[in-house]
Amino acid sequence: MRKHWLGCLVGGVVLLASAFALAGDSYPEVEYLSGKAGFAKKVKGQLTIDEKAVTFGDEKGRALFSIPIAEIDKSDSATQREEGSFGRKMALGVFASHTDEFLTIETHNTAGAEGLVFKVKKKTGAGMAAKINFWSGKAKAVANEPPKTAAEPPQR
C-alpha cells in the first residue's frame, strides 16, 4: 500500500511538471500598444510564449488574442530613452530621464501582415524575442521538410 501511494505521488509530480512545461513562458507587466487588427486601445496584461503560439492576456488571465507561431516572421526588442524636459531635469536631476523597453512581432497570414508592439518589463525583451524567433524558426523548418514517403520494398 505504501509503495502504491509513493508511486501515485511521484506520478502526480511528473504530470504536474509536464503541464507547466507545456504552458510556456509567461511574462507579466506587458502592455499591448498597437498593431493587432481589432485592438485599437492600449491594454496591460501578460504575454505567454510557447511552441504553438504567442498569447496576450489581460491582467485577470483571460486570453485576448493569440498569434500562431507559424504566422510569425520575426520578433525584435528595442529600448528607448527619454531624457525629460528642462523643468523636469531641474527638479529631478539625474532621475528626470527614463528608459522603456519594447517587443515587436511581425506576422503574416492569408488576411495580411501585422506589426505588433508591446511595452515590456526592463531586461526581458531580448529573451522574449529570442524565444519567439526560436519557436518560429522550428515551425518553419518543420513546414519546409519534404513529406515522408512510404519505404519502397527492396528490389531483387
Side-chain angles (χ1 to χ4, degrees):
M1 179 73 176
R2 184 176 174 104
K3 286 183 182 179
H4 176 71
W5 177 82
L6 185 59
C8 288
L9 179 65
V10 170
V13 169
V14 169
L15 185 62
L16 187 62
S18 64
F20 282 117
L22 292 175
D25 297 310
S26 289
Y27 298 91
E29 299 179 41
V30 172
E31 182 178 8
Y32 163 79
L33 299 177
S34 66
K36 183 72 176 156
F39 282 85
K41 64 179 183 172
K42 297 177 182 180
V43 180
K44 290 185 179 183
Q46 70 176 9
L47 205 62
T48 303
I49 303 166
D50 62 30
E51 67 273 5
K52 294 181 181 174
V54 174
T55 305
F56 181 70
D58 64 11
E59 292 177 322
K60 296 179 182 175
R62 294 182 299 233
L64 298 176
F65 60 83
S66 187
I67 308 160
I69 282 291
E71 293 180 2
I72 296 176
D73 294 324
K74 75 174 188 172
S75 181
D76 199 11
S77 69
T79 57
Q80 182 177 5
R81 183 173 171 86
E82 184 180 316
E83 292 300 325
S85 66
F86 177 75
R88 190 170 170 190
K89 285 182 183 178
M90 293 301 292
L92 300 173
V94 295
F95 301 108
S97 64
H98 71 276
T99 303
D100 292 322
E101 191 165 344
F102 299 92
L103 173 72
T104 58
I105 302 174
E106 295 179 18
T107 69
H108 75 281
N109 58 30
T110 56
E114 295 177 327
L116 287 79
V117 181
F118 298 91
K119 185 176 175 183
V120 299
K121 192 174 171 182
K122 290 180 186 173
K123 299 182 182 180
T124 60
M128 294 166 77
K131 287 178 184 182
I132 293 168
N133 290 332
F134 172 77
W135 289 120
S136 176
K138 284 190 74 111
K140 286 180 178 75
V142 168
N144 291 334
E145 284 182 4
K148 295 182 180 181
T149 59
E152 295 181 14
Q155 303 231 347
R156 292 186 193 192

